[in-house]
Amino acid sequence: MAEASNLVEMRGIVKRFPGVLANENVDFDLRSGEIHGLLGENGAGKSTLMSVLAGLYKPEAGTILVRGVPVSFNSPRDAIALGLGMIHQHFTLIDSHTVTENILLGLDDPPFLMRLSHYDERMAVTGKRFGLHVSPTAKIWQLSVGEQQRVEILKMLYRGVEVLIMDEPTSVLAPQEIEELFKTLRSMVEQGKSIVFISHKLHEVMSIADRISVLRQGRVTAAGIKPAGTSKAELANLMVGRKVLFEIEKKPKEPGEVVLELRGVSAENDKGLPALHKVGLKVRSGEILGLAGVAGNGQTELGEVITGLRRCTGGSILVNGKEVANRPARVPIEFGVAHIPEDRTHVGTAPNLSITENVIMKSYRHPPLARGRSLNRHVARERAEQLKQEYTILAPSVETPVRLLSGGNLQRVILARELSERPSLLIAMQPTRGLDVGAIEGVQRLLLEQRDSGAAILLVSEELEEIFTLSDRIAVIYEGEIVGDGVEAEAETVGLLMTGGARLPKSEATA
Ligand SMILES: Nc1ncnc2c1ncn2[C@@H]1O[C@H](COP(=O)(O)OP(=O)(O)OP(=O)(O)O)[C@@H](O)[C@H]1O
Ligand SMILES: [Mg+2]
């Protein structure tokens, strides 16, 4: 086979933001018909580089060649006209419109000459061709995140893009959806498209990419290497600039007293449908209970009822023997419950407030932070400075608004706030989602430290590897019920239980 030619060449790209050099003289090539994996830590400059290629940012220096011809873009529209389209992490669909309407929307000459139903058919045909299953007449709000992603892909295909750039497409997907997406990507490549696939997950990039490039702190540390010629360890090293041991040391520990006990807890989701059904669980001091499950099986609601953010329709939740069910959210906090929420930007932090304000959010009512009825700003600032160091939060200053922080640093702000108070119970929801390998290792270490100093931890994660690495005991949740508790640490059993493939007899499951 002849060496494939470069479809896209980026040369010497420089892109600055106030105080940050996001891309420092970056070269990047994309060949025709390849899937090119782009790896890098949080803040490495991946999204920036690809936003330059997609016409969203103008670089300060550098050139872009498409099929050998120098180009320059004033908007994403210009890039799409040349066949380059990007799907961002945050989707841009209109909830109240149908799939077809969303796809037609924003086209230069909206083709209203034909009936909408004609377009529905055309969408269905394109969808079928690439294995993108979604109903053209469905409204966006009715779709799961995975389905919405398919709409975004369809939208780009309908605009005739040859190059599809996907920014961390798997971070919002459940394991089976990831498989579906990979099938679509492969079928797109077979039909002549080229893809840039951004991810933090080494195993994903290793399995889907034809070639891999790595960025670190705005610079290229590997350009177009073949997966077969590298390893997870080497890639991790290229990403973070040091060795990452994929094994975390976990000391054996005898669990102590029961800290959290759920008895027959039921609750509804936001739509008023049953989300939890008679859940029973116990977590002891010095123990990590890993709760495995595919997203959307009641985990979110479970975290919320324990932390007082959602009402229970039945049952009892005891923290150190005291009832917390259906009590105000400050009650669990007073009983020593810490919470790492799933949604970091909305529930976990106040985006426009500073690091200082975010880290003191839970403790400002008490001395030494409270001075009478007002806040002692000096103490607050000192506390924030100290936590910034201790938790290695990388930011210009403690006055920086947290919306400017990268994913990994934002998660550290939450950890600093939640863990510095020495909680007796920690509810950790998807604590490493969206983080790079270096950051994941840091967060996992912190969780183990908490366990070793006696905290009870409920760890909710979709990452089986994480569940197996950290947990002392594993339970599985499926459709709002605990379908396995204390199950043998075997990936296969847990995987089956997660997908409803093997329910344990009731007596065993709730014992
Ligand atoms: N619009 C912006 N304004 C100011 N700074 C920005 C902006 N976008 C990115 N940055 C900064 O540029 C650097 C690179 O960010 P970028 O989003 O490209 O990283 P990334 O590799 O995509 O990270 P992640 O994996 O967290 O998505 C970071 O330091 C980030 O804080
Ligand atoms: Mg990014």
Side-chain angles (χ1 to χ4, degrees):
M1 197 176 78
E3 189 75 342
S5 60
N6 284 337
L7 183 58
V8 173
E9 288 178 40
M10 300 178 86
R11 292 280 162 266
I13 301 294
V14 176
K15 178 68 199 165
R16 263 175 237 285
F17 292 112
V20 193
L21 188 48
N23 288 158
E24 189 177 349
N25 209 5
V26 173
D27 294 348
F28 179 83
D29 295 333
L30 181 69
R31 290 181 189 157
S32 189
E34 77 168 341
I35 300 181
H36 198 129
L38 184 57
L39 276 169
E41 286 189 284
N42 295 121
K46 307 178 294 292
S47 299
T48 303
L49 183 69
M50 287 303 125
S51 298
V52 166
L53 185 56
L56 195 70
Y57 294 148
K58 254 192 163 343
E60 272 89 52
T63 50
I64 303 175
L65 304 167
V66 176
R67 295 179 196 89
V69 180
V71 294
S72 113
F73 306 131
N74 288 315
S75 73
R77 198 172 272 249
D78 293 350
I80 288 174
L82 278 174
L84 310 175
M86 177 161 176
I87 299 178
H88 297 270
Q89 280 180 265
H90 306 288
F91 301 155
T92 52
L93 302 168
I94 301 174
D95 271 356
S96 54
H97 285 32
T98 69
V99 168
T100 299
E101 286 164 351
N102 264 280
I103 294 171
L104 296 180
L105 209 77
L107 281 178
D108 269 338
D109 45 338
F112 289 125
L113 302 169
M114 282 182 274
R115 275 175 302 122
L116 211 53
S117 59
H118 172 83
Y119 291 100
D120 289 339
E121 270 164 47
R122 284 174 64 170
M123 298 308 153
V125 169
T126 312
K128 206 161 190 172
R129 192 173 137 207
F130 295 98
L132 291 159
H133 306 291
V134 57
S135 158
T137 53
K139 298 255 160 86
I140 298 303
W141 63 264
Q142 297 172 314
L143 305 180
S144 71
V145 179
E147 288 168 319
Q148 293 184 19
Q149 185 179 64
R150 287 176 214 153
V151 180
E152 292 277 13
I153 299 176
L154 270 173
K155 199 167 151 182
M156 285 301 161
L157 290 171
Y158 197 77
R159 281 159 177 64
V161 303
E162 290 301 313
V163 173
L164 186 68
I165 303 162
M166 300 202 74
D167 197 350
E168 292 188 40
T170 59
S171 63
V172 294
L173 300 181
Q176 317 93 300
E177 289 178 314
I178 295 177
E179 263 319 302
E180 290 280 302
L181 172 68
F182 281 10
K183 276 191 208 143
T184 294
L185 297 185
R186 290 196 183 103
S187 118
M188 286 176 63
V189 165
E190 273 163 24
Q191 299 179 59
K193 311 277 180 197
S194 312
I195 293 164
V196 180
F197 178 89
I198 302 179
S199 176
H200 287 130
K201 296 184 187 153
L202 298 168
H203 63 270
E204 282 180 359
V205 172
M206 295 275 277
S207 82
I208 190 82
D210 298 300
R211 292 193 305 150
I212 301 170
S213 291
V214 184
L215 288 178
R216 179 165 82 235
Q217 293 175 5
R219 271 179 278 181
V220 178
T221 54
I225 57 178
K226 294 237 155 63
T230 183
S231 64
K232 265 171 85 173
E234 189 193 10
L235 290 173
N237 202 343
L238 288 164
M239 278 169 72
V240 301
R242 65 173 165 85
K243 274 220 164 72
V244 176
L245 310 163
F246 286 93
E247 279 172 27
I248 291 213
E249 202 197 341
K250 193 171 105 199
K251 300 183 207 102
K253 188 166 171 72
E254 272 299 305
E257 301 279 294
V258 172
V259 175
L260 173 70
E261 179 167 6
L262 274 74
R263 294 185 194 149
V265 171
S266 297
E268 292 175 347
N269 64 17
D270 288 341
K271 293 179 184 147
L273 301 171
L276 294 173
H277 183 68
K278 297 198 172 149
V279 169
L281 277 179
K282 280 182 192 168
V283 191
R284 287 163 221 276
S285 157
E287 171 184 66
I288 297 182
L289 174 69
L291 186 63
V294 175
N297 276 282
Q299 298 93 318
T300 311
E301 289 82 3
L302 184 68
E304 289 170 350
V305 292
I306 301 171
T307 51
L309 299 175
R310 180 177 296 271
R311 293 188 56 77
C312 300
T313 51
S316 157
I317 303 172
L318 302 173
V319 173
N320 291 315
K322 290 185 229 136
E323 185 65 58
V324 298
N326 294 335
R327 301 194 61 189
R330 86 186 131 70
V331 173
I333 295 175
E334 276 160 19
F335 291 170
V337 180
H339 183 206
I340 303 176
E342 214 167 345
D343 180 349
R344 287 163 212 162
T345 33
H346 299 106
V347 181
T349 53
N352 290 322
L353 298 186
S354 67
I355 294 178
T356 303
E357 287 161 316
N358 272 282
V359 292
I360 63 163
M361 218 172 252
K362 280 175 83 176
S363 44
Y364 71 94
R365 285 172 205 267
H366 307 291
L369 280 169
R371 192 168 46 186
R373 306 200 73 183
S374 64
L375 175 73
N376 187 334
R377 297 221 158 254
H378 177 69
V379 174
R381 203 190 151 100
E382 259 182 10
R383 163 82 66 89
E385 296 279 4
Q386 186 198 335
L387 291 174
K388 181 170 178 282
Q389 272 219 326
E390 202 176 314
Y391 288 83
T392 46
I393 299 165
L394 301 178
S397 99
V398 291
E399 300 310 321
T400 307
V402 298
R403 75 184 138 78
L404 296 181
L405 301 182
S406 76
N409 284 303
L410 188 63
Q411 187 68 321
R412 282 184 199 132
V413 168
I414 296 174
L415 288 162
R417 178 183 69 218
E418 300 293 326
L419 303 185
S420 58
E421 303 267 309
R422 294 269 147 212
S424 71
L425 172 66
L426 173 62
I427 310 296
M429 309 290 296
Q430 316 288 358
T432 60
R433 186 191 272 170
L435 302 186
D436 60 68
V437 276
I440 289 174
E441 202 180 62
V443 170
Q444 294 185 339
R445 284 238 158 77
L446 284 168
L447 293 182
L448 284 173
E449 264 170 47
Q450 291 290 318
R451 159 199 181 257
D452 290 342
S453 58
I457 300 179
L458 176 63
L459 167 70
V460 173
S461 177
E462 283 167 58
E463 296 290 332
L464 275 187
E465 223 178 292
E466 173 160 276
I467 294 269
F468 287 121
T469 311
L470 297 178
S471 308
D472 298 295
R473 206 152 53 80
I474 296 173
V476 183
I477 190 164
Y478 177 70
E479 291 188 345
E481 288 183 55
I482 302 297
V483 292
D485 191 349
V487 285
E488 288 295 314
E490 245 181 55
E492 219 172 291
T493 320
V494 174
L496 263 178
L497 287 166
M498 278 168 71
T499 50
R503 272 174 192 251
L504 294 186
K506 277 275 143 62
S507 58
E508 234 178 283
T510 48

